[in-house]
mmCIF file of all heavy atoms in Angstrom:
data_model
loop_
_atom_site.group_PDB
_atom_site.id
_atom_site.type_symbol
_atom_site.label_atom_id
_atom_site.label_comp_id
_atom_site.label_asym_id
_atom_site.label_seq_id
_atom_site.Cartn_x
_atom_site.Cartn_y
_atom_site.Cartn_z
ATOM 1 N N LYS A 47 85.519 170.184 41.004
ATOM 2 C CA LYS A 47 86.011 168.913 40.403
ATOM 3 C C LYS A 47 87.415 169.123 39.810
ATOM 4 O O LYS A 47 88.172 168.172 39.740
ATOM 5 C CB LYS A 47 84.978 168.428 39.383
ATOM 6 C CG LYS A 47 83.746 167.930 40.144
ATOM 7 C CD LYS A 47 82.814 167.160 39.236
ATOM 8 C CE LYS A 47 81.839 166.405 40.164
ATOM 9 N NZ LYS A 47 80.595 166.080 39.369
ATOM 10 N N LEU A 48 87.588 170.275 39.274
ATOM 11 C CA LEU A 48 88.920 170.541 38.777
ATOM 12 C C LEU A 48 90.019 170.570 39.926
ATOM 13 O O LEU A 48 91.059 170.077 39.750
ATOM 14 C CB LEU A 48 89.002 171.953 38.095
ATOM 15 C CG LEU A 48 88.390 172.036 36.636
ATOM 16 C CD1 LEU A 48 88.055 173.467 36.221
ATOM 17 C CD2 LEU A 48 89.206 171.357 35.697
ATOM 18 N N ALA A 49 89.578 171.013 41.068
ATOM 19 C CA ALA A 49 90.452 171.118 42.249
ATOM 20 C C ALA A 49 90.799 169.702 42.735
ATOM 21 O O ALA A 49 91.777 169.420 43.267
ATOM 22 C CB ALA A 49 89.851 171.928 43.399
ATOM 23 N N LEU A 50 89.840 168.787 42.547
ATOM 24 C CA LEU A 50 90.040 167.459 42.942
ATOM 25 C C LEU A 50 90.825 166.557 41.872
ATOM 26 O O LEU A 50 91.145 165.459 42.102
ATOM 27 C CB LEU A 50 88.677 166.713 43.240
ATOM 28 C CG LEU A 50 87.994 167.072 44.481
ATOM 29 C CD1 LEU A 50 86.557 166.622 44.505
ATOM 30 C CD2 LEU A 50 88.705 166.333 45.732
ATOM 31 N N GLY A 51 90.971 167.179 40.745
ATOM 32 C CA GLY A 51 91.615 166.472 39.665
ATOM 33 C C GLY A 51 90.624 165.448 38.969
ATOM 34 O O GLY A 51 91.115 164.519 38.273
ATOM 35 N N LEU A 52 89.357 165.533 39.205
ATOM 36 C CA LEU A 52 88.420 164.660 38.522
ATOM 37 C C LEU A 52 88.145 165.072 37.084
ATOM 38 O O LEU A 52 87.771 164.373 36.261
ATOM 39 C CB LEU A 52 87.051 164.638 39.252
ATOM 40 C CG LEU A 52 87.136 164.084 40.742
ATOM 41 C CD1 LEU A 52 85.779 164.203 41.342
ATOM 42 C CD2 LEU A 52 87.625 162.717 40.752
ATOM 43 N N LEU A 53 88.466 166.393 36.807
ATOM 44 C CA LEU A 53 88.334 166.927 35.456
ATOM 45 C C LEU A 53 89.658 167.492 35.099
ATOM 46 O O LEU A 53 90.384 167.899 35.896
ATOM 47 C CB LEU A 53 87.278 167.982 35.396
ATOM 48 C CG LEU A 53 85.820 167.642 35.715
ATOM 49 C CD1 LEU A 53 84.931 168.862 35.674
ATOM 50 C CD2 LEU A 53 85.319 166.661 34.590
ATOM 51 N N THR A 54 90.045 167.432 33.884
ATOM 52 C CA THR A 54 91.204 168.049 33.362
ATOM 53 C C THR A 54 90.849 169.366 32.701
ATOM 54 O O THR A 54 90.002 169.474 31.764
ATOM 55 C CB THR A 54 91.889 167.161 32.286
ATOM 56 O OG1 THR A 54 91.964 165.833 32.850
ATOM 57 C CG2 THR A 54 93.308 167.671 31.954
ATOM 58 N N PRO A 55 91.462 170.480 33.151
ATOM 59 C CA PRO A 55 91.166 171.801 32.635
ATOM 60 C C PRO A 55 91.412 171.884 31.072
ATOM 61 O O PRO A 55 92.490 171.258 30.626
ATOM 62 C CB PRO A 55 91.955 172.782 33.386
ATOM 63 C CG PRO A 55 92.975 172.026 34.017
ATOM 64 C CD PRO A 55 92.488 170.597 34.209
ATOM 65 N N THR A 56 90.618 172.543 30.381
ATOM 66 C CA THR A 56 90.898 172.669 28.876
ATOM 67 C C THR A 56 91.900 173.763 28.734
ATOM 68 O O THR A 56 92.520 173.779 27.598
ATOM 69 C CB THR A 56 89.649 172.927 28.108
ATOM 70 O OG1 THR A 56 88.780 173.869 28.807
ATOM 71 C CG2 THR A 56 88.856 171.556 27.896
ATOM 72 N N SER A 57 92.037 174.774 29.557
ATOM 73 C CA SER A 57 93.083 175.771 29.424
ATOM 74 C C SER A 57 93.422 176.302 30.834
ATOM 75 O O SER A 57 92.677 176.122 31.730
ATOM 76 C CB SER A 57 92.538 176.912 28.532
ATOM 77 O OG SER A 57 91.467 177.451 29.105
ATOM 78 N N GLY A 58 94.531 176.932 30.892
ATOM 79 C CA GLY A 58 94.949 177.444 32.144
ATOM 80 C C GLY A 58 95.502 176.493 33.065
ATOM 81 O O GLY A 58 95.670 175.302 32.688
ATOM 82 N N ARG A 59 95.678 176.871 34.372
ATOM 83 C CA ARG A 59 96.232 175.869 35.313
ATOM 84 C C ARG A 59 95.568 176.132 36.677
ATOM 85 O O ARG A 59 95.085 177.200 37.013
ATOM 86 C CB ARG A 59 97.727 175.886 35.421
ATOM 87 C CG ARG A 59 98.245 177.179 35.999
ATOM 88 C CD ARG A 59 99.735 177.249 36.028
ATOM 89 N NE ARG A 59 100.088 178.373 36.842
ATOM 90 C CZ ARG A 59 100.431 178.337 38.134
ATOM 91 N NH1 ARG A 59 100.551 177.144 38.688
ATOM 92 N NH2 ARG A 59 100.673 179.373 38.807
ATOM 93 N N ILE A 60 95.649 175.079 37.513
ATOM 94 C CA ILE A 60 95.112 175.151 38.852
ATOM 95 C C ILE A 60 96.041 174.468 39.791
ATOM 96 O O ILE A 60 96.603 173.452 39.396
ATOM 97 C CB ILE A 60 93.663 174.483 38.880
ATOM 98 C CG1 ILE A 60 93.108 174.627 40.277
ATOM 99 C CG2 ILE A 60 93.661 173.095 38.380
ATOM 100 C CD1 ILE A 60 91.632 174.256 40.378
ATOM 101 N N ARG A 61 96.301 174.999 40.968
ATOM 102 C CA ARG A 61 97.082 174.331 41.990
ATOM 103 C C ARG A 61 96.276 174.308 43.237
ATOM 104 O O ARG A 61 95.681 175.270 43.643
ATOM 105 C CB ARG A 61 98.408 175.104 42.118
ATOM 106 C CG ARG A 61 99.321 174.955 40.921
ATOM 107 C CD ARG A 61 100.636 175.510 41.260
ATOM 108 N NE ARG A 61 101.540 174.570 41.900
ATOM 109 C CZ ARG A 61 102.132 173.566 41.372
ATOM 110 N NH1 ARG A 61 101.942 173.314 40.010
ATOM 111 N NH2 ARG A 61 102.998 172.742 42.033
ATOM 112 N N VAL A 62 96.327 173.126 43.896
ATOM 113 C CA VAL A 62 95.618 172.940 45.116
ATOM 114 C C VAL A 62 96.673 172.502 46.156
ATOM 115 O O VAL A 62 97.406 171.551 45.976
ATOM 116 C CB VAL A 62 94.548 171.880 44.997
ATOM 117 C CG1 VAL A 62 93.849 171.602 46.354
ATOM 118 C CG2 VAL A 62 93.559 172.239 43.967
ATOM 119 N N LEU A 63 96.692 173.246 47.292
ATOM 120 C CA LEU A 63 97.653 172.983 48.327
ATOM 121 C C LEU A 63 99.163 172.949 47.766
ATOM 122 O O LEU A 63 99.960 172.127 48.236
ATOM 123 C CB LEU A 63 97.342 171.685 49.103
ATOM 124 C CG LEU A 63 95.942 171.578 49.722
ATOM 125 C CD1 LEU A 63 95.745 170.154 50.191
ATOM 126 C CD2 LEU A 63 95.816 172.484 50.943
ATOM 127 N N GLY A 64 99.308 173.742 46.727
ATOM 128 C CA GLY A 64 100.641 173.847 46.176
ATOM 129 C C GLY A 64 100.846 172.670 45.124
ATOM 130 O O GLY A 64 101.963 172.571 44.654
#
Side-chain angles (χ1 to χ4, degrees):
Chain A
K47 288 194 166 157
L48 286 165
L50 282 165
L52 297 179
L53 295 172
T54 310
T56 41
S57 62
R59 66 181 192 100
I60 179 167
R61 290 186 85 75
V62 177
L63 302 168

